Amino acid sequence: MKNLTITVEDSVLEWARVEAARRGTSVSRMVGDFMAELQQREDSYERAYLAWRTDERSWQGGATPEAPPVAAVPRKIGSRRKTGQEGA
């Protein structure tokens, strides 16, 4: 493992110390875990994006499923809402 030096506002460091104590860990471990989680999330997103980009079926015509029909919304034809500003 390597060491890392970071610069943060005093209020952020105070919060991190309290939060680390609440979690029963150190600020260093908490920051390391956060960065590892962020890396895992980004890697998962990148893999999903690349899988989508290389999926040939999504680029061929007719290969996508047809959208379900939209339910008809009943409307009164010719009726208008009165706003009190007609003819003004």
Side-chain angles (χ1 to χ4, degrees):
M1 279 201 210
K2 299 282 186 177
N3 288 329
L4 171 67
T5 302
I6 63 172
T7 303
V8 296
E9 296 289 329
D10 291 343
S11 61
V12 174
L13 181 56
E14 183 60 32
W15 173 86
R17 286 180 175 151
V18 170
E19 188 63 23
R22 189 181 69 76
R23 294 179 186 201
T25 189
S26 67
V27 172
S28 179
R29 173 68 64 172
M30 197 168 69
V31 170
D33 289 349
F34 170 75
M35 291 173 66
E37 182 181 324
L38 187 58
Q39 178 190 21
Q40 183 180 18
R41 218 180 301 154
E42 290 292 321
D43 288 350
S44 294
Y45 175 83
E46 184 69 20
R47 282 192 304 275
Y49 176 74
L50 289 173
W52 173 78
R53 289 282 303 199
T54 58
D55 185 1
E56 293 292 326
R57 295 172 298 163
S58 66
W59 299 106
Q60 296 173 357
T64 57
E66 188 175 316
V70 177
V73 178
R75 287 188 260 177
K76 291 182 181 178
I77 298 176
S79 67
R80 297 183 80 177
R81 182 176 174 196
K82 301 229 183 237
T83 64
Q85 296 179 352
E86 285 83 8

